[in-house]
């Protein structure tokens, strides 16, 4: 184990678990290691008291697992494009509710228009910055878990555009991002038909954009709207 750690394999992949939100989350080799900062995404989702949640780009399923542990009877579905991640997530959350495929494509049809909260920690590292990440991430986490395209926002754009179809009226989309990308993530979510606020935690070094879906007649038609944006920190 020490020899593997010396070569840069993340400790969590060697031990087979990561601590996240007070839980032991099973982490298999080649699967993204859940980060403590992502606990802010859990806190913000919990504050909305959802009954139905989709954890999109779920990786190990850590976010969904933390929500399911905290909310009795939660109807949780999760999806990821990576077969290793899906296999791992099926060890952390109800296996029949973990779906393999591109973003929303593998979700059950009956969820359309019924989801209270979509949570997404999608890849958001700009392609050119992956080379300067630590070996643990660069060499031992899948590229598809990190690479957010040229500006880091490619997957977030697709998550935002697809979200209104799945959310109920007044439903929420929560996306983790970096402090430097938060304004752009926020704009992307607004352009998809949401009012947004940015939440950040210095303690966790974390930033989440929270969007609430607007009634269709309020959907911005230009790319420049800042309507409804608030910035919070805590
Ligand atoms: C940064 S990791 C986060 C994993 C997990 N949400 C967490 O916080 O630990 C991003 C995840 O997005 C998945 N992913 C990337 N592109 C995807 C797509 N088009 N559809 C579904 N999942 C995708 C990757 O396989 C990876 O598991």
């Amino acid at each position: 184990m020490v020899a593997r750690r010396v070569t840069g394999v993340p400790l969590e992949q060697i031990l087979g678990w990561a601590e996240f939100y007070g839980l032991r989350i099973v982490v298999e080799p080649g699967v993204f290691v859940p980060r403590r900062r992502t606990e802010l995404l859990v806190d913000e989702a919990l504050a909305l008291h959802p009954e139905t949640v989709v954890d999109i780009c779920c990786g190990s399923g850590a976010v969904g697992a933390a929500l399911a542990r905290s909310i009795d009877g939660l109807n949780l579905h999760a999806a990821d494009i990576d077969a290793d991640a899906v296999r791992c997530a099926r060890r952390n959350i109800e296996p029949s509710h973990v779906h393999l495929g591109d973003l929303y494509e593998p979700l059950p049809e009956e969820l359309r228009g019924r989801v209270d909260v979509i949570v997404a920690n999608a890849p958001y590292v700009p392609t050119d910055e992956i080379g300067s990440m630590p070996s643990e991430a660069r060499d031992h986490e899948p590229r598809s878990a990190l690479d957010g395209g040229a500006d880091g926002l490619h997957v977030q754009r697709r998550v935002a555009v697809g979200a209104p179809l799945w959310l109920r009226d007044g439903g929420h989309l929560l996306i983790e991002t970096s402090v430097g990308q938060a304004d752009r993530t926020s704009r992307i979510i607004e352009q998809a038909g949401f009012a947004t606020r940015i939440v950040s935690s210095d303690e966790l070094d974390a930033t989440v954009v929270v969007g609430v879906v607007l009634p269709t007649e309020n959907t911005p038609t230009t790319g420049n709207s800042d309507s409804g944006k608030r910035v919070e920190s805590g």
Side-chain angles (χ1 to χ4, degrees):
M1 291 168 95
V2 170
R4 290 175 65 210
R5 182 74 193 99
V6 167
T7 67
V9 179
L11 181 64
E12 294 85 349
Q13 290 180 357
I14 295 170
L15 297 176
W17 62 276
E19 185 190 343
F20 182 80
Y21 219 80
L23 304 176
R24 276 192 179 214
I25 300 294
V26 174
V27 178
E28 296 180 357
V31 174
F32 183 86
V33 176
R35 309 295 206 261
R36 291 301 291 269
R37 70 163 55 90
T38 303
E39 294 183 354
L40 182 64
L41 194 58
V42 177
D43 283 336
E44 290 301 312
L46 283 177
L48 298 168
H49 305 291
E51 295 176 6
T52 300
V53 169
V54 168
D55 179 1
I56 206 82
C57 298
C58 68
S60 65
V63 175
L67 292 171
R69 181 61 71 92
S70 305
I71 304 172
D72 276 347
L74 180 69
N75 181 23
L76 169 72
H77 286 262
D80 200 285
I81 201 165
D82 183 286
D84 291 339
V86 165
R87 194 180 55 243
C88 181
R90 286 183 174 144
R91 297 177 65 189
N92 290 310
I93 55 187
E94 165 54 42
S96 65
H97 282 200
V98 184
H99 312 282
L100 173 65
D102 184 29
L103 297 188
Y104 303 99
E105 178 267 328
L107 293 175
E109 284 293 313
E110 71 258 22
L111 287 177
R112 278 185 192 232
R114 295 183 174 207
V115 177
D116 298 316
V117 168
I118 296 171
V119 284
N121 179 20
Y124 58 84
V125 182
T127 306
D128 284 351
E129 292 177 23
I130 290 177
S132 52
M133 292 183 83
S135 163
E136 281 88 342
R138 202 181 58 228
D139 302 327
H140 300 281
E141 292 182 318
R143 178 93 180 193
S144 58
L146 307 172
D147 193 343
D151 63 358
L153 305 171
H154 175 69
V155 186
Q156 291 187 354
R157 265 186 210 99
R158 294 184 57 227
V159 168
V161 166
L165 188 65
W166 297 90
L167 289 171
R168 67 163 171 80
D169 289 348
H172 288 78
L173 169 64
L174 281 64
I175 300 187
E176 176 178 311
T177 190
S178 69
V179 67
Q181 291 164 307
D183 282 337
R184 281 173 292 156
T185 300
S186 184
R187 222 168 301 130
I188 284 168
I189 297 177
E190 287 173 4
Q191 284 167 15
F194 295 78
T196 63
R197 61 193 165 91
I198 298 170
V199 183
S200 50
S201 161
D202 291 341
E203 189 189 340
L204 290 171
D205 185 25
T207 305
V208 168
V209 181
V210 178
V212 58
V213 76
L214 291 168
T216 320
E217 64 270 21
N218 293 342
T219 303
T221 51
T222 72
N224 301 322
S225 170
D226 277 335
S227 57
K229 186 188 293 180
R230 287 193 290 135
V231 179
E232 298 172 2
S233 69

